[in-house]
Amino acid sequence: MANEKPSTQTQPHGDAATRKKTETSVAEAGSSAEKKVTPKNALLGLQHVLVSNVWLDPVFVAGAIGLPLALSSNMVNAIFIVSSLVTLIQATKLVRLPIVQGPSAAFDALMIAAGTAGSLAAAGTSIFISSLIFLVLCLTRVIEKLRFLFAPIVSGVIIFLVGVSLSGFTLSEFLGGAPGDKGFADPKTLAVSIITCVLVVVLSQFGKGMVKALSYLIALVVGTALSLAFGMADFSAVASKPWLGLPKFMPYGGFDFNAAIFVPFFIAYLVAIMEALGVYQAATEIQGTKLQDRQVRYGLAGEAAGSAISSLIGGFTTTAYPQNVALLKVTDEGKTRTRVPVIIAGVVFVVLGFIPKAGAVLSLIPSPVIGGIFLPAAASLISTGFNTLRKVESDDRTQVVIGLSLLLGIALPNALSGLEGGAHVFFSNSILVGAFSVVILKALIIDLPNFIARHADERTKQAE
């Protein structure tokens, strides 16, 4: 750290010794009990496991693709293992924040599209190459010069559109497919999905103590039990899976580079980085600290390395979860700055990752149950995006940028649904369209006029 250059935006201290002293004081905040594996910290760690999408995302993607049990359980276990390793390393060595890492929702739509087209090998290759590119950008400190991309107006639009994008797939699971599909809007399907969704909402909003903390797990168990009673679930295939095992290396096939698939995946990775930076910033604000350039560099490098490894064993990218940061506001974690609960969550993930039966059980959870759980989660992302956009200075130009970006992200994919090839891959994804729109519009409508105005003022002052 002795050679680090302090950032004028994020680091008020002028030398490495002072920074090190500050970091030490942060790490030592809180009582000694808050740094130990106490029953309270164990419960907080379990809560992080339940609130995260570490298991929901791969189950959702695998179910939407229609992967066979062997590949779907492999995807779940691969993501468990990588998420656990990255969470543990991030919390203890790299970004050093109480942040849970898991698969990025920005890739859900792309993974589903690639999977249904039989191109998961190309998708994995695209993630691997994208991860290596961003890893180099982090290690060479170039990523620090791109932080202008991570303004609240950008991250707010992206998080909002992630929720909108997931809502389409979520409603498909919720309703049992599309009109004409067997079981679509069937009374049993709707009963399971509605009861599961209502349980999540009621318990998470009106429950107390452990009931509130375990709302997702309770809804999952009740929804699955109801599915079994209706004959909609069959877990007999779990018996054939071993108790212990490892994910397979490149389970979808060897390296397969496809430029039409690589470009949207690369852009989606940039979107995931924007989302992660917003989570880092939120976590430090809750803790009352400043986000340092070294945390940005090391944190994103850890995510890139984890994503590269994940792509090789059947998973996809890993990023920081905003919903877990939200827990810091309602628990003592935000005040005490303890990272022990997140470390416990990482240990739980790694244990589950080496148990194929666990991945198989999660992979066989009926679609209406997944839809019922994910619907409130998608709604939470939309509201998180709104809350982020509320931090943006409100004026006519910012409102135009926000409005146009959301409009294009939501409406343009439908308007251009007839495109083919690489253009279809890009314009069919609302997250990618919205991310590009907000960055370009912000540059043209806000940044460029401000730059011209500043230079005009400087010339005026010089002339005087």
Side-chain angles (χ1 to χ4, degrees), residues 190-376:
L190 292 179
V192 172
S193 58
I194 291 174
I195 290 174
T196 303
C197 181
V198 169
L199 274 175
V200 170
V201 173
V202 171
L203 296 182
S204 63
Q205 298 302 315
F206 304 104
K208 302 293 183 181
M210 290 301 297
V211 171
K212 179 181 179 70
L214 302 179
S215 57
Y216 278 81
L217 180 60
I218 294 171
L220 174 68
V221 172
V222 172
T224 303
L226 193 59
S227 298
L228 285 169
F230 288 158
M232 300 169 58
D234 181 11
F235 293 95
S236 59
V238 176
S240 64
K241 304 297 292 184
W243 279 105
L244 298 175
L246 291 171
K248 293 183 178 180
F249 181 73
M250 303 187 79
Y252 312 120
F255 286 103
D256 180 15
F257 181 78
N258 184 321
I261 294 178
F262 170 75
V263 171
F265 268 90
F266 181 80
I267 297 170
Y269 201 102
L270 179 61
V271 172
I273 284 181
M274 295 178 185
E275 183 179 357
L277 259 294
V279 173
Y280 293 175
Q281 187 66 49
T284 52
E285 288 178 0
I286 292 171
Q287 290 189 331
T289 60
K290 294 288 185 179
L291 181 62
Q292 303 174 32
D293 283 343
R294 64 168 297 279
Q295 289 178 290
V296 171
R297 184 169 71 255
Y298 291 172
L300 294 182
E303 293 189 9
S307 297
I309 295 172
S310 181
S311 68
L312 295 177
I313 58 175
F316 44 104
T317 58
T318 178
T319 190
Y321 277 156
Q323 59 266 45
N324 289 90
V325 170
L327 291 180
L328 304 182
K329 294 182 179 180
V330 295
T331 67
D332 292 335
E333 292 173 85
K335 297 177 181 178
T336 63
R337 301 171 183 171
T338 179
R339 285 169 274 149
V340 173
V342 165
I343 293 173
I344 292 174
V347 173
V348 173
F349 289 142
V350 76
V351 171
L352 292 175
F354 288 106
I355 303 177
K357 280 188 182 294
V361 169
L362 294 175
S363 300
L364 292 172
I365 293 174
S367 295
V369 179
I370 300 301
I373 290 176
F374 241 88
L375 198 63

Side-chain angles (χ1 to χ4, degrees), residues 125-142:
T125 301
S126 299
I127 293 173
F128 181 76
I129 296 174
S130 299
S131 301
L132 292 185
I133 291 173
F134 280 98
L135 180 60
V136 171
L137 292 177
C138 291
L139 296 179
T140 57
R141 304 182 66 166
V142 173

Side-chain angles (χ1 to χ4, degrees), residues 10 13 42 65 68 71 115 148-149 169 181 235 263 275 280 286 307 324 328 360 362 368 376 382 392 407 416 445 453:
T10 59
H13 304 289
I65 294 174
L71 288 179
F148 69 91
L149 293 174
F169 295 109
D181 293 345
F235 293 95
V263 171
E275 183 179 357
Y280 293 175
I286 292 171
S307 297
N324 289 90
L328 304 182
L362 294 175
I382 292 175
V392 180
L407 185 150
L416 300 180
I445 298 177

